[in-house]
């Protein structure tokens, strides 16, 4: 039996969700909701939707739709909490784009509501379903990198600039989720510093999370994460950077792993080589007086990956969670709460000029 889906939001990401649910054998798109009628007409034309699919600007018109089992939310971050809460209260399973909510208390409330209603709350952390992230995790678990030293990430582009969240809340969750997955840890200390650039056009819209005018939201943010084993990750975030980057690197004593989404031919590279004299890795890690490091790169391997769209895997996993009514460990509401807890601590650090804080 197919799962009836209503997609809220027909923008860039909503269109991708519609496409995947239309193509999946276990789902049926019953409705698409978007306040912009032009977006609805564009969706109808793009997918040649039949008359049975309801296209509406009003979410309330489909809340009692016969056969509706689940709601997929791809709307601005400031609307996630309200829409997800309404859907759960109506007894629907929910797939929602990141972040789950803009306040930790709201995220926790949504988890509690999902548990009370015995419905699945699934957050679309798409990168955790990327074949490169899966392959990299296996490499790290097999200790092919040696002792992990540090990591860094760049997530930048030139627009869109959000008006409801800053660059931290818009971008950082992807890299934090990936580092947490690869390390199988969560940071014990975080810090963030940021810069606000002059906007060409001021806006009166305010961020729901901070109640700040949009022109005062940080456009450039530097994030530092420190993990229990001493591993540190530095993340560069900016939405006013002409150089679009989607790159994560983990450096180990024996090799370096590079995930570069902007290099479709070589998205995952394992660069063998050590900055420690061969045979002395143990001493370097544990001796108070380490030998002088010497750089040595011996090989560069382009790793093969399964050819599958990450969002297709997200939709498939969500539908499976609905069918079995069991949560997904990596994308459940509870898992997302931990990420929002980290983001909240980073926001506080940002307000305090980069003061290191514990997220827990």
């Amino acid at each position: 039996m197919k799962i009836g889906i209503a997609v809220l939001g027909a923008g860039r990401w909503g269109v991708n969700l519609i496409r995947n649910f239309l193509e999946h054998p276990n789902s049926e798109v019953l409705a698409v909701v978007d306040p912009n009628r032009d977006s609805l007409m564009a969706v109808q034309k793009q997918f040649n939707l039949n008359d049975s699919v309801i296209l509406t600007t009003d979410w309330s018109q489909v809340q009692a739709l016969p056969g509706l089992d689940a709601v997929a939310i791809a709307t601005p971050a400031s609307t996630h909490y309200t829409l997800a809460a309404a859907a759960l209260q109506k007894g629907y399973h929910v797939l929602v784009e990141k972040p789950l909510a803009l306040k930790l208390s709201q995220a926790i409330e949504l988890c509690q509501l999902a548990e009370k209603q015995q419905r699945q709350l699934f957050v679309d952390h798409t990168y955790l379903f990327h074949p490169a992230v899966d392959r990299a995790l296996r490499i790290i678990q097999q200790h092919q990198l040696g002792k992990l030293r540090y990591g860094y990430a760049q997530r930048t582009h030139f627009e869109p600039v959000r008006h409801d969240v800053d660059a931290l809340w818009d971008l950082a969750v992807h890299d934090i989720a990936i580092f947490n997955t690869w390390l199988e840890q969560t940071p014990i200390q975080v810090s963030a510093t940021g810069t606000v650039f002059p906007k060409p056009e001021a806006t009166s819209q305010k961020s729901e999370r901070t109640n700040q005018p949009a022109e005062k939201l940080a456009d450039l943010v530097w994030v530092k994460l420190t993990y229990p084993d001493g591993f540190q990750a530095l993340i560069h975030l900016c939405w006013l950077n002409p150089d679009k980057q989607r790159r994560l690197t983990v450096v180990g004593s024996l090799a370096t792993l590079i995930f570069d989404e902007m290099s479709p031919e070589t998205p995952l590279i394992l660069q063998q080589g050590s900055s420690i004299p061969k045979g002395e890795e143990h001493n370097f890690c544990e001796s108070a007086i380490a030998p002088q490091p010497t750089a040595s790169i011996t090989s560069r391997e382009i790793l093969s990956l399964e050819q599958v769209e990450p969002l297709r895997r997200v939709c498939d996993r969500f539908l499976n969670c609905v069918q079995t009514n069991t949560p997904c460990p990596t994308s459940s509401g509870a898992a997302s709460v931990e990420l929002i807890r980290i983001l909240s601590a980073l926001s506080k650090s940002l307000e305090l000029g980069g003061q290191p804080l514990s997220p827990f």
Side-chain angles (χ1 to χ4, degrees):
M1 185 174 178
K2 291 189 175 184
I3 295 168
I5 301 279
V7 179
L8 311 188
R12 179 183 63 86
W13 203 246
V15 166
N16 290 323
L17 284 169
I18 294 168
R19 171 176 54 80
N20 274 285
F21 282 127
L22 283 172
E23 294 174 354
H24 201 286
N26 295 334
S27 64
E28 180 181 5
V29 177
L30 300 180
V32 178
V33 182
D34 193 283
N36 188 325
R37 292 187 182 276
D38 290 340
S39 296
L40 294 173
M41 293 304 101
V43 164
Q44 198 284 329
K45 182 178 180 180
Q46 179 178 348
F47 299 111
N48 192 27
L49 300 176
N50 60 47
D51 294 339
S52 65
V53 179
I54 296 174
L55 303 176
T56 178
T57 60
D58 187 356
W59 150 234
S60 65
Q61 290 187 10
V62 301
Q63 289 186 16
L65 190 63
L68 185 61
D69 303 298
V71 172
I73 300 171
T75 58
S78 57
T79 66
H80 289 180
Y81 165 73
T82 301
L83 292 174
L88 288 169
Q89 287 167 351
K90 291 290 183 180
Y92 299 128
H93 301 278
V94 172
L95 166 65
V96 59
E97 290 306 304
K98 60 81 190 171
L100 172 58
L102 296 181
K103 296 179 181 178
L104 180 60
S105 59
Q106 292 177 339
I108 294 172
E109 181 184 334
L110 289 175
C111 288
Q112 293 172 339
L113 180 58
E115 184 175 1
K116 177 183 177 181
Q117 297 290 88
Q118 295 187 328
R119 291 295 180 266
Q120 293 306 305
L121 177 59
F122 190 108
V123 184
D124 177 14
H125 293 294
T126 310
Y127 281 94
L128 300 185
F129 296 83
H130 197 295
V133 173
D134 286 345
R135 182 77 189 275
L137 175 60
R138 293 196 298 271
I139 288 170
I140 292 171
Q141 289 176 332
Q142 293 164 2
H143 307 292
Q144 293 186 41
L145 303 187
K147 178 176 175 57
L148 302 185
R149 289 181 168 173
Y150 67 96
Y152 54 95
Q154 302 90 16
R155 189 166 299 272
T156 69
H157 56 250
F158 188 72
E159 299 184 335
V161 175
R162 308 296 181 188
H163 300 298
D164 54 350
V165 292
D166 58 14
L168 171 68
W169 279 77
D170 184 37
L171 303 173
V173 69
H174 299 302
D175 302 303
I176 297 171
I178 294 171
F179 278 126
N180 287 1
T181 298
W182 284 352
L183 299 170
E184 299 180 275
Q185 305 176 64
T186 54
I188 56 173
Q189 188 180 84
V190 303
S191 63
T193 57
T195 302
V196 179
F197 297 124
K199 307 295 192 301
E201 294 183 8
T203 173
S204 59
Q205 185 174 346
K206 289 188 175 183
S207 163
E208 179 180 307
R209 201 194 68 78
T210 63
N211 200 36
Q212 287 185 324
E215 63 267 23
K216 294 188 179 297
L217 298 176
D219 304 294
L220 166 67
V221 179
W222 295 93
V223 166
K224 184 178 180 181
L225 310 173
T226 302
Y227 289 83
D229 64 357
F231 183 95
Q232 292 186 335
L234 185 66
I235 306 174
H236 171 205
L237 309 162
C238 187
W239 55 29
L240 289 176
N241 191 336
D243 179 20
K244 184 174 182 178
Q245 301 175 86
R246 297 287 185 273
R247 194 171 190 266
L248 290 92
T249 302
V250 173
V251 179
S253 61
L254 301 179
T256 296
L257 194 62
I258 303 166
F259 171 32
D260 190 348
E261 188 186 0
M262 302 308 296
S263 297
E265 301 301 319
T266 58
L268 189 63
I269 292 174
L270 180 63
Q271 186 169 283
Q272 298 286 351
S274 172
S275 60
I276 304 172
K278 188 174 181 180
E280 298 187 19
E281 293 89 349
H282 179 78
N283 291 335
F284 184 77
C285 296
E286 299 187 2
S287 173
I289 303 176
Q292 183 64 36
T294 58
S296 174
I297 297 174
T298 59
S299 68
R300 184 174 181 270
E301 180 184 0
I302 299 170
L303 301 175
S304 61
L305 301 174
E306 180 186 1
Q307 297 302 305
V308 59
E309 181 186 4
L311 186 58
R312 185 173 296 274
R313 297 176 72 184
V314 168
C315 293
D316 184 71
R317 184 68 66 84
F318 172 63
L319 292 170
N320 180 262
C321 289
V322 170
Q323 289 173 327
T324 60
N325 204 20
T326 56
C328 171
T330 57
S331 282
S332 66
S336 189
V337 163
E338 297 310 304
L339 291 170
I340 290 175
R341 197 182 301 277
I342 294 168
L343 285 171
S344 299
L346 284 166
S347 287
K348 186 64 175 179
S349 174
L350 192 62
E351 295 171 6
L352 297 174
Q355 179 178 326
L357 298 173
S358 169
F360 301 101

